[in-house]
Amino acid sequence: MTIDLAVVPVAGRGTRLLPLTKSQPKEMLPVGRKPVVQYVVEELAACGMKRILFVTGPGKTAIENHFDIDAELITHLRENGKEEYLAQLSFERADVEYFYVRQRRQLGLGHAVLCARRFVNGNSFVVALGDSILGLNERSRVVEVMIERFTATAAAAVINFEEVPREEIGDYGVALPKQENAEVFELLDIVEKPDPARAPSNLAVAGRYVFSPVIFDALAETPPGKGGEIQLTDAIRRLIRDGRKVIGVRMPPGEKRYDIGHFESYFRAVVEFAFADPQYGEKLRRYFGLNPHATVGR
Ligand code: UTP
């Protein structure tokens, strides 16, 4: 089975990043040299995605503009002897088609995914959060591995998980794995933003999913949950309770997810990507009195 469609929800309000996100999408915030969502799209393209459906909303047109081909800008660079910058626009020519659907009311991530139902049209598909970057220097292949697992196990869903410190676990969907410490495990349950003291594990959903279209039936039946929003996690829980197979994969060692959802994790991403910059990273670390050759990370 070939899966070449990814749904990228980018319609959220980003209230935790106010005032930064008052008039600009959090998915367009700069991390290193690119806006967040460009990393997401490049990762998806590298994992074989040919169609990307953005679930978008009010105030998000900058995302559409970013992925358009800007012929005027290209001509300007050519005519003004700035050809060296043309390479920075090569992402515009990625072998990917872009589509957009509006989430007309911000009723939560689960609702955003449900908005993709007609477009997905009964196929299996990837969901990649538009505010989460995977991988620092290399493009992450996690989605490719997840698709392989999805096909091999005939699961209803495959979800990417990352181990996070206990004190942060309450920000995420959290797995109750059948096999502890396994790279790939079956899910017995999943809980949205649990009280850290009662969290079923330290495994937090890390922004990438592969779904069979049965997720849409589950979403359609899912009432609003935490925060009054229709939670994707609750729909996945419903799949598990209906006896469907849901598989978790752990992010490989050395890879991690950069969550651009709140300031602490956003700042971490900004600093790590700046320190990893091929041109300025070393200088920057020296400037801050750090070992210029040290690797950065948790
Ligand atoms: P979050 O769960 O961080 O929600 O979104 P949010 O609403 O953007 O942020 P806060 O809580 O107000 O700070 C995870 C991803 O899901 C999208 C977001 O755009 C983000 O990429 N999303 C979230 C939607 O598309 N629609 C929604 O209703 C909620």
Side-chain angles (χ1 to χ4, degrees):
M1 182 196 319
T2 321
I3 297 179
D4 68 356
L5 166 63
V7 172
V8 181
V10 293
R13 291 181 199 278
T15 42
R16 286 169 297 159
L17 290 172
L18 281 169
L20 212 50
T21 47
K22 180 160 181 273
S23 64
Q24 66 183 328
K26 69 171 158 180
E27 297 81 5
M28 285 297 291
L29 292 177
V31 172
R33 294 178 178 232
K34 300 174 195 173
V36 175
V37 70
Q38 187 180 329
Y39 291 102
V40 177
V41 164
E42 288 177 346
E43 172 209 328
L44 293 171
C47 289
M49 298 300 108
K50 298 286 182 208
R51 293 173 298 150
I52 292 183
L53 174 71
F54 291 104
V55 182
T56 177
K60 302 280 179 167
T61 44
I63 298 172
E64 291 163 54
N65 294 339
H66 190 71
F67 291 102
D68 275 352
I69 293 176
D70 190 340
E72 224 171 88
L73 176 59
I74 293 170
T75 310
H76 170 84
L77 295 176
R78 284 217 175 98
E79 288 179 354
N80 291 279
K82 295 180 176 175
E83 281 87 354
E84 82 234 51
Y85 294 109
L86 283 171
Q88 301 306 330
L89 298 178
S90 58
F91 74 94
E92 288 180 355
R93 306 204 171 266
D95 184 20
V96 170
E97 275 187 284
Y98 300 102
F99 301 88
Y100 301 88
V101 64
R102 298 275 289 200
Q103 183 186 21
R104 295 170 69 205
R105 287 192 299 156
Q106 278 54 67
L107 300 178
L109 174 60
H111 179 256
V113 173
L114 192 52
C115 292
R117 185 174 203 164
R118 276 194 183 252
F119 187 89
V120 171
N121 194 23
N123 294 301
S124 297
F125 63 105
V126 169
V127 169
L129 300 193
D131 68 349
S132 290
I133 302 171
L134 295 199
L136 177 65
N137 294 311
E138 289 162 33
R139 290 205 186 130
S140 169
R141 295 284 169 169
V142 164
V143 167
E144 220 171 73
V145 172
M146 290 169 70
I147 292 174
E148 279 166 24
R149 292 286 170 194
F150 181 83
T151 312
T153 56
V158 174
I159 304 165
N160 182 37
F161 286 94
E162 181 184 38
E163 221 167 289
V164 305
R166 231 338 118 149
E167 60 275 15
E168 291 174 23
I169 202 77
D171 288 341
Y172 301 102
V174 181
L176 173 60
K178 189 170 174 183
Q179 303 88 2
E180 271 179 49
N181 304 319
E183 292 292 299
V184 180
F185 48 87
E186 221 173 292
L187 259 73
L188 295 175
D189 198 5
I190 185 165
V191 191
E192 182 63 20
K193 299 188 176 66
D195 169 355
R198 292 203 208 159
S201 73
N202 283 357
L203 293 168
V205 176
R208 302 292 182 267
Y209 312 76
V210 185
F211 288 120
S212 94
V214 294
I215 191 65
F216 291 121
D217 294 330
L219 279 168
E221 288 165 15
T222 299
K226 284 260 159 75
E229 296 190 336
I230 297 175
Q231 299 288 352
L232 185 55
T233 304
D234 292 343
I236 297 165
R237 184 174 224 193
R238 193 171 276 265
L239 290 181
I240 298 169
R241 293 195 170 164
D242 286 349
R244 305 269 186 183
K245 193 191 283 182
V246 176
I247 301 285
V249 297
R250 264 175 204 264
M251 204 111 96
E255 271 211 49
K256 66 178 171 181
R257 172 250 190 125
Y258 296 87
D259 173 13
I260 315 301
H262 59 95
F263 277 113
E264 187 182 356
S265 52
Y266 174 53
F267 290 156
R268 270 191 221 147
V270 166
V271 171
E272 282 194 36
F273 277 72
F275 283 168
D277 188 87
Q279 194 176 355
Y280 298 113
E282 225 177 278
K283 264 194 194 167
L284 261 184
R285 278 178 272 177
R286 222 173 250 129
Y287 178 83
F288 285 108
L290 300 169
N291 174 355
H293 306 293
T295 48
V296 278
R298 250 204 308 264

